[in-house]
Amino acid sequence: MSASGDADAATLSSSIGIVGVLALLVGNAISVPIFVLPGPLAGTAGPSLVVAILLAAIPASFVVLYNALLGSAMPVAGGLYVYISRLTAPYWGFLVPFTIPLVAWASLLITATGFAEYTRIFVDVPSTPLIYVLLAFVLLVNLIGLRVVAQVQLVFFAGLVIALLTFIVPGATAVDAANYAPFFPDYGAFGLAVVALFYPFLGFGLLVELGEEIENPGRTIPLVLGLGIGIVALFYVALIAVLVGVVPYTELGAEADLAMAAAQFLPWWGEYVVAAGAVFAVVTTVNTTLLVFSRTLMRASRDGILPASLARIHPRFETPHYAVALLGLPPFVLVPIADEIVGLSVFIGLASLTAYFFCAIGLWNLPREFPAHYANAPFRLRRYRGLLLAVLGGAVATGAFWIVTLLQRPIVGVVLVGWFVVAYGYYRYRLAKTDRAETYRTMTSLDRHERVEESEAHHASGDASGDTPRADAGEGGD
Amino acid sequence: MVGHYMAIGEYRDEPAEMDDVEREVAAAQYPEGGLVVGLGLGIVLPLVTAPALLAVTPFLGGVVGFALGRRVRDAAVRRRRADRTTAE
């Protein structure tokens, strides 16, 4: 079975509508930061965490813009990998599927730790067995497939919203202004919190990874992204403002901080409602983590730059079971580092924003490399105004993230760049095992079913107000 | 296509404009590999010497690595062309 031979047959069969996509998106984005990250971060950064989440929303907004533009112009499965390899360089694209396992493992460990913390409010059992239970659950659900995931997600999403409102609305009346002083107890911790809090916004990347499986992606993706960022940002700021306003920050950083804070102003049942919401939220997060990431591995495998087994689809469940196993099994042996929540979050934030930086460069190249796709996009930016601003903004944010991380938590930067060097070695190894010119050609062009005909492009661009794409240019790479 | 229009000498590779030799060499991604190695050195060296340099050296290391990678790539293209000419 060749890697590319499975390409058409491997296109996943499930299809998700707008409500399902919004639930997947908001549910995935909103869960982990709200229940797991603010406590440990506020324990050192203090009330400044409210500003940190607002600053983290800036690069997150750029990411939303990249996702909206690229996702609507080129709705393909394996989004970031495809965009970066086709629109910048194959090796930069290769870094996405090669680094994704680390990001997925870190994400699973954080959410599993959060699950254990909040579950212990209901049952008095040690954390470690609970972490293993969750990891096993994630593996199983993702092996079963997307359709089950979407249904489960909708139910948990409703519970999550109820729990959040139960915390935020009464909590807003219980805030003690004295808890906001000193506002900036540690500037270094504040900077690191900005990087770590970028991670909670990454659920928006989910959308482009599922491009092929979304109904009417050209309309759905921009609409859902706009709604999603508004909802998520509102929840984040409100929740963190209540958390640091109700409890002195020096008392935060222990287990299940939100439930502990809820007990300050809600009746006895309050902490249980919040804890239940946390469990729902954590489950929705892990529900989608492997689902999304496995698609990227599958696409890279179809291109021949990762082993062919990662593209194989399970005959019964129609999921890339080997890819899911690669993402879901290693965390079982990494559980001892699961309590390094801040470090793991910084790693995820840094790795992800770096990927999105390359995505921004790809966005800049899009009108030149794939003019037909750009012309077909439902909305566009002028190249030397909006697009340039988006690229420069992403570059500045990425540079700032790297500097803050290297100064505050250098081990994270060293691990990440060291992994990139290893990735280059593996890339060359894979290249040596294939027809390198053919692999290069594959990694710089789109699959047949993803291409847009020039005639469609001319029709679509006829009334466009943005730049006129290069009409005589063919679709790049082939 | 070679000479003035040879895409491989430009900032970014243009796969559609390459001939087979350029494509073979471009697949190795020498400039990108050089950038990453330079970035790594630009992080590790100041960490063990002067951490304050961390705000500058990663960027410098990346740029130098990328430039060296391009030279390696150009040399590889010339070598392959020479080998092909000799073979013919």
Side-chain angles (χ1 to χ4, degrees):
Chain A
M1 190 185 295
S2 71
S4 59
D6 285 342
D8 293 334
T11 301
L12 300 176
S13 59
S14 304
S15 185
I16 316 168
I18 190 166
V19 175
V21 173
L22 188 61
L24 275 169
L25 185 71
V26 175
N28 189 67
I30 216 167
S31 49
V32 169
I34 283 182
F35 294 97
V36 180
L37 275 176
L41 291 173
T44 52
S48 65
L49 206 63
V50 179
V51 179
I53 190 72
L54 287 172
L55 287 181
I58 294 173
S61 299
F62 284 119
V63 167
V64 169
L65 185 64
Y66 305 153
N67 283 336
L69 289 166
L70 286 169
S72 61
M74 297 172 68
V76 295
L80 276 189
Y81 159 68
V82 176
Y83 298 145
I84 296 172
S85 60
R86 272 64 176 176
L87 292 168
T88 62
Y91 168 68
W92 298 137
F94 173 70
L95 287 181
V96 175
F98 196 78
T99 308
I100 267 180
L102 299 192
V103 172
W105 302 340
S107 179
L108 283 176
L109 291 175
I110 291 171
T111 46
T113 301
F115 171 80
E117 283 183 11
Y118 284 95
T119 300
R120 279 161 51 81
I121 291 184
F122 298 101
V123 288
D124 186 19
V125 291
S127 293
T128 305
L130 290 171
I131 290 175
Y132 284 118
V133 165
L134 186 80
L135 293 176
F137 172 74
V138 173
L139 194 57
L140 183 65
V141 167
N142 281 273
L143 284 172
I144 289 173
L146 177 62
R147 201 165 293 137
V148 173
V149 171
Q151 292 164 347
V152 171
Q153 190 90 357
L154 281 169
V155 174
F156 286 154
F157 173 63
L160 167 64
V161 170
I162 291 169
L164 288 176
L165 293 176
T166 302
F167 181 83
I168 291 170
V169 176
T173 64
V175 166
D176 181 356
N179 288 330
Y180 289 123
F183 198 77
F184 283 99
D186 184 334
Y187 285 101
F190 165 72
L192 203 64
V194 176
V195 181
L197 286 173
F198 177 69
Y199 163 45
F201 287 101
L202 288 175
F204 294 102
L206 170 73
L207 215 56
V208 291
E209 306 291 345
L210 290 174
E212 262 183 357
E213 302 164 48
I214 295 172
E215 292 171 357
N216 192 10
R219 174 179 172 273
T220 303
I221 288 175
L223 182 64
V224 168
L225 280 174
L227 289 172
I229 188 75
I231 294 170
V232 169
L234 191 64
F235 272 117
Y236 281 6
V237 173
L239 184 133
I240 290 177
V242 168
L243 177 67
V244 297
V246 168
V247 181
Y249 78 90
T250 51
E251 296 176 17
L252 294 171
E255 283 194 357
D257 290 290
L258 286 188
M260 184 263 285
Q264 307 280 322
F265 59 87
L266 289 175
W268 65 269
W269 48 262
E271 63 177 324
Y272 294 102
V273 171
V274 172
V279 173
F280 290 151
V282 169
V283 173
T284 59
T285 300
V286 292
N287 250 339
T288 50
T289 299
L290 300 190
L291 166 76
V292 173
F293 290 160
S294 65
R295 268 57 171 181
T296 300
L297 296 185
M298 189 171 68
R299 180 58 185 266
S301 175
R302 277 155 47 183
D303 283 355
I305 201 64
L306 286 180
S309 58
L310 294 176
R312 288 196 190 128
I313 302 296
H314 191 279
R316 180 177 173 191
F317 299 122
E318 298 182 326
T319 55
H321 51 304
Y322 285 112
V324 169
L326 173 66
L327 297 169
L329 285 175
F332 284 88
V333 298
L334 296 173
V335 167
I337 63 167
D339 59 347
E340 295 288 339
I341 286 177
V342 172
L344 292 171
S345 300
V346 169
F347 179 85
I348 294 171
L350 187 66
S352 302
L353 190 60
T354 303
Y356 278 109
F357 165 65
F358 286 111
C359 196
I361 296 175
L363 183 59
W364 174 257
N365 291 333
L366 176 65
R368 186 184 63 205
E369 300 300 318
F370 294 92
H373 282 84
Y374 188 63
N376 255 11
F379 68 98
R380 284 163 278 176
L381 296 175
R382 289 183 184 276
R383 196 152 192 254
Y384 289 96
R385 293 184 191 174
L387 269 187
L388 186 60
L389 183 66
V391 174
L392 291 178
V396 170
T398 307
F401 269 38
W402 270 95
I403 290 172
V404 167
T405 303
L406 289 174
L407 293 176
Q408 291 296 317
R409 201 62 76 97
I411 184 65
V412 174
V414 170
V415 168
L416 186 56
V417 80
W419 189 250
F420 288 170
V421 173
V422 171
Y424 186 68
Y426 186 74
Y427 172 85
R428 295 295 301 272
Y429 167 74
R430 290 294 307 175
L431 214 58
K433 292 170 70 76
T434 62
D435 177 344
R436 56 196 285 170
E438 176 60 19
T439 301
Y440 183 71
R441 191 201 65 78
T442 302
M443 293 182 75
T444 51
S445 59
L446 295 174
D447 284 353
R448 185 172 299 280
H449 73 280
E450 294 168 343
R451 296 174 191 163
V452 174
E453 298 300 327
E454 285 298 324
S455 57
E456 291 179 45
H458 285 300
H459 176 74
S461 61
D463 57 354
S465 57
D467 291 347
T468 302
R470 196 172 63 186
D472 60 347
E475 294 284 302
D478 49 26
Chain B
M1 196 178 290
V2 294
H4 175 68
Y5 298 104
M6 192 172 74
I8 205 162
E10 303 294 329
Y11 167 70
R12 179 177 181 271
D13 299 342
E14 294 289 350
E17 298 175 10
M18 292 178 186
D19 61 25
D20 56 339
V21 171
E22 290 175 324
R23 197 170 288 126
E24 280 265 334
V25 175
Q29 301 279 275
Y30 290 114
E32 290 78 8
L35 191 158
V36 164
V37 172
L39 180 66
L41 290 174
I43 290 172
V44 172
L45 289 180
L47 275 178
V48 296
T49 56
L53 293 175
L54 274 172
V56 179
T57 49
F59 177 76
L60 286 179
V63 170
V64 170
F66 186 81
L68 287 176
R70 283 183 61 177
R71 293 181 76 97
V72 171
R73 179 189 62 181
D74 293 344
V77 171
R78 283 195 300 274
R79 188 172 63 247
R80 281 176 183 255
R81 288 199 199 288
D83 290 347
R84 178 173 292 188
T85 304
T86 303
E88 288 171 354

